[in-house]
C-alpha cells in the first residue's frame, strides 16, 4: 500500500531494545518484498516467529487442466458450485496462467489454521457474506463488495460470521497487486483523478496479541505444495507493527466511476494493477451523455489479452443469458461485443446498475478440468442473429 500505517506498541527507534513487562525482549520481524527495495513492515512478536516444532504433512497443489479444445468464448455458471470447507479448501480454480489463478469459493466453515501464500499477493472479492480477515496485523471485518488485498508474507485466516452465506472470487497473483501507478503522485499519494483514495482504504483494526501455548497449525503455499506446520505458540502474537505492507479492504461501492460524453474504455474501471494482469470494477453509473451516444460497448478485438468478467449483481447490459456469479471468458483471437439487439437497444438508456469484476490477463488463460463442468456450451453461438 502506498501509505504508512501503525497499530499497537512499537519502540521509538527501529532495531533497538524493546522490552516486555518481564524484561525480556520483544522479537522484531521485518516483512519486506522485492528484497529490501519494496514495501515493508516491522512487526514485534512476543516470541520468535521461527519456532516450527513439526512439519505435519504437505500436499500437492497441482491443477488438472482441460484437454485442448476449440478456441471459443466461454460462459461458466458458478452460482451452484459445491459449498463447503473453509475459505482455502473451498476454492475451485477455474482459470490459470503463469501470472494468476482465478478461483471461486463458497466456504461454510472458519479456517482452523493460519495461511500464507509465499509467491505473491491475493485479492479476495467478497460477493456475499460477512466475517473477519484475521492476521498478524489485526482484525479486518469484511462485507459484500469488499476487495480484501492480502500481500504475500501476511499470515491470515478468514472467519465467516455465523449463518452468513459466503461467496468469494479469489485472485492469486504470482507477484504484487497494487493500485495503478497512474493514480499515484511521486510520493505515493492518490491523485485527484483516481477513482478511490486513502479514505476508502480500510486497514486492519483491533490488534490483539495472543499469548497462548498449545498446538497451532500454519499452512504455507509455496513451490507447488501446501506445507502444514505445527507451532507451540499462537502465531498471532504481535503487539505492534508499522510500515507500508499490510492487508486492507476496499469496497467496490467506494470505487467512483469515471463517465464521459461517449463510451469510456475499460481502463477507466481499473482498480488494481499486477504483473501480467489488471483488475477492474464495473459499478452502477450514468451512461454516456453525447446526444448521439451509444451506451453499449463497441465490438472489440482484444488482441493481447484474455478478458474475464465475474458478474456480481445488476443487469449486465450487453450480455444475454448471464446470471449472478457467471464468469465469461473472451479470449484473445475472436472478437466479442454486445449481443444482437443490445447495441441499438442501449440508445437512450441513462444508467446501469451492473456490478462486475473484470480480470484482463496479458497471457492466455487455461481452463481447469473443474471449470469445464460449469460451462454453458451455447454461449459461443449467442451472438448469432
Ligand atoms: Fe472487451
Amino acid at each position: 500500500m502506498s501509505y504508512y500505517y501503525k497499530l499497537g506498541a512499537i519502540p521509538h527507534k527501529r532495531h533497538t531494545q524493546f522490552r516486555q513487562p518481564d524484561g525480556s525482549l520483544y522479537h522484531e520481524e521485518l516483512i519486506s518484498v522485492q528484497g529490501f527495495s519494496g514495501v515493508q513492515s516491522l512487526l514485534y512478536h512476543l516470541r520468535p516467529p521461527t519456532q516450527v516444532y513439526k512439519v505435519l504433512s504437505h500436499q500437492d497443489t497441482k491443477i488438472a487442466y482441460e484437454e485442448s479444445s476449440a478456441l471459443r468464448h466461454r460462459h461458466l455458471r458458478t452460482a451452484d458450485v459445491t459449498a463447503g470447507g473453509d475459505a482455502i479448501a473451498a476454492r475451485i480454480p477455474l482459470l490459470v496462467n503463469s501470472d494468476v489463478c482465478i478461483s471461486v469459493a463458497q466456504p461454510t466453515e472458519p479456517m482452523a489454521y493460519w495461511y500464507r501464500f509465499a509467491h505473491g499477493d491475493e485479492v479476495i472479492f467478497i460477493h456475499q457474506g460477512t466475517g473477519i480477515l484475521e492476521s498478524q496485523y489485526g482484525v479486518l471485518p469484511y462485507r459484500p463488495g469488499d476487495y480484501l488485498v492480502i500481500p504475500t508474507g501476511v499470515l491470515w485466516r478468514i472467519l465467516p460470521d455465523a449463518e452468513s452465506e459466503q461467496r468469494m472470487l479469489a485472485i492469486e497473483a504470482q507477484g504484487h497487486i497494487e493500485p495503478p501507478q497512474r493514480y499515484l503522485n511521486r510520493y505515493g499519494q492518490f491523485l485527484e483523478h483516481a477513482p478511490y483514495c486513502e479514505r476508502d482504504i480500510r486497514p486492519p483494526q483491533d490488534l490483539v496479541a495472543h499469548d497462548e501455548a498449545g498446538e497451532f497449525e500454519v499452512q504455507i503455499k509455496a513451490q507447488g505444495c501446501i506445507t502444514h506446520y505445527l507451532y507451540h505458540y499462537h502465531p498471532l502474537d504481535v503487539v505492534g507493527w508499522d510500515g507500508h505492507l499490510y492487508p486492507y479492504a476496499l469496497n467496490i461501492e467506494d470505487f467512483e466511476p469515471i463517465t464521459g460524453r461517449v463510451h469510456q474504455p475499460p481502463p477507466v474501471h481499473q482498480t488494481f494493477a499486477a504483473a501480467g494482469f489488471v483488475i477492474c470494477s464495473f459499478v452502477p453509473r450514468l451512461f454516456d451523455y453525447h446526444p448521439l451516444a451509444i451506451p453499449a460497448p463497441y465490438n472489440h478485438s482484444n488482441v493481447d489479452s484474455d478478458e474475464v468478467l465475474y458478474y456480481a449483481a445488476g443487469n449486465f447490459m450487453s450480455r444475454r443469458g448471464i446470471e449472478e456469479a457467471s464468469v465469461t471468458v473472451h479470449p484473445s483471437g475472436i472478437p466479442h461485443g454486445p449481443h444482437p439487439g443490445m447495441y441499438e437497444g442501449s440508445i437512450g438508456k441513462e444508467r446501469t446498475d451492473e456490478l462486475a469484476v473484470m480480470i484482463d490477463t496479458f497471457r492466455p488463460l487455461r481452463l481447469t478440468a473443474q471449470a469445464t463442468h460449469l460451462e454453458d456450451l451455447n454461449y459461443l453461438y449467442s451472438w448469432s442473429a
Side-chain angles (χ1 to χ4, degrees):
M1 182 29 66
S2 59
Y3 70 93
Y4 173 83
Y5 195 72
K6 63 180 171 181
L7 268 184
I10 54 174
H12 175 67
K13 187 101 183 146
R14 60 187 173 182
H15 323 319
T16 58
Q17 295 173 34
F18 179 35
R19 294 194 179 274
Q20 308 194 27
D22 68 0
S24 65
L25 289 166
Y26 285 111
H27 300 269
E28 188 181 53
E29 179 189 10
L30 174 71
I31 301 185
S32 65
V33 303
Q34 293 158 337
F36 292 86
S37 60
V39 289
Q40 58 189 46
S41 284
L42 280 167
L43 287 69
Y44 295 88
H45 296 269
L46 297 176
R47 295 180 182 83
T50 47
Q51 296 176 331
V52 173
Y53 91 86
K54 194 172 185 182
V55 174
L56 268 184
S57 61
H58 65 282
Q59 79 206 53
D60 200 315
T61 55
K62 212 170 182 178
I63 288 172
Y65 291 98
E66 170 188 51
E67 298 290 315
S68 71
S69 67
L71 180 73
R72 60 185 183 272
H73 297 316
R74 322 288 290 249
H75 172 206
L76 311 174
R77 295 181 193 277
T78 77
D80 297 324
V81 297
T82 313
D86 62 51
I88 296 296
R91 287 184 180 179
I92 300 171
L94 302 177
L95 297 155
V96 185
N97 67 16
S98 55
D99 299 313
V100 64
C101 174
I102 303 167
S103 307
V104 289
Q106 275 193 268
T108 54
E109 294 163 24
M111 291 165 67
Y113 55 90
W114 291 268
Y115 177 84
R116 173 185 287 143
F117 176 51
H119 300 316
D121 302 347
E122 301 192 51
V123 165
I124 300 172
F125 175 71
I126 305 294
H127 185 180
Q128 289 166 1
T130 57
I132 60 167
L133 174 75
E134 182 196 64
S135 74
Q136 298 143 303
Y137 295 78
V139 169
L140 181 50
Y142 66 81
R143 62 177 194 267
D146 275 347
Y147 289 108
L148 300 176
V149 183
I150 309 174
T152 181
V154 172
L155 193 59
W156 60 273
R157 64 176 177 173
I158 279 182
L159 305 174
D161 286 341
E163 292 174 33
S164 166
E165 208 168 291
Q166 308 277 313
R167 187 181 290 281
M168 302 170 181
L169 174 72
I171 303 162
E172 182 192 83
Q174 298 287 326
H176 302 298
I177 302 176
E178 296 162 346
Q181 199 58 46
R182 68 179 187 279
Y183 293 169
L184 306 172
N185 66 20
R186 66 192 174 99
Y187 307 100
Q189 183 181 17
F190 282 91
L191 287 160
E192 276 294 304
H193 73 273
Y196 61 96
C197 74
E198 288 84 352
R199 292 186 196 181
D200 302 310
I201 304 284
R202 291 164 20 232
Q205 55 192 49
D206 301 331
L207 180 66
V208 181
H210 296 269
D211 186 7
E212 289 172 41
E215 280 212 329
F216 301 90
E217 186 179 337
V218 167
Q219 296 186 9
I220 299 179
K221 183 175 178 181
Q223 301 186 15
C225 65
I226 296 180
T227 307
H228 301 226
Y229 302 88
L230 279 187
Y231 289 77
H232 279 312
Y233 295 99
H234 199 298
L236 270 49
D237 67 343
V238 172
V239 297
W241 64 268
D242 75 335
H244 289 241
L245 185 145
Y246 49 88
Y248 64 89
L250 167 70
N251 197 279
I252 197 167
E253 286 179 10
D254 288 323
F255 183 92
E256 294 303 325
I258 294 167
T259 59
R261 231 161 82 90
V262 294
H263 191 79
Q264 296 294 295
V268 300
H269 306 284
Q270 191 180 351
T271 312
F272 300 108
F277 69 98
V278 297
I279 302 175
C280 302
S281 304
F282 287 83
V283 300
R285 63 193 181 278
L286 294 179
F287 277 141
D288 325 325
Y289 48 88
H290 185 286
L292 297 176
I294 302 174
Y298 31 72
N299 297 304
H300 181 207
S301 275
N302 42 311
V303 175
D304 281 330
S305 69
D306 280 7
E307 298 183 359
V308 178
L309 265 166
Y310 178 85
Y311 302 83
N315 183 15
F316 212 81
M317 174 188 61
S318 60
R319 302 258 175 278
R320 261 198 228 131
I322 298 301
E323 56 193 30
E324 263 194 35
S326 279
V327 174
T328 57
V329 189
H330 299 140
S332 168
I334 2 176
H336 60 277
H339 276 134
M342 302 285 192
Y343 198 48
E344 183 80 43
S346 72
I347 293 172
K349 297 230 165 101
E350 286 185 354
R351 60 197 312 134
T352 172
D353 60 352
E354 72 192 15
L355 195 67
V357 175
M358 184 169 81
I359 303 144
D360 278 6
T361 68
F362 306 132
R363 283 185 233 263
L365 288 161
R366 284 186 77 184
L367 241 75
T368 64
Q370 288 144 298
T372 60
H373 300 300
L374 306 171
E375 187 174 8
D376 160 16
L377 288 165
N378 293 320
Y379 184 63
L380 173 64
Y381 305 113
S382 59
W383 284 268
S384 221

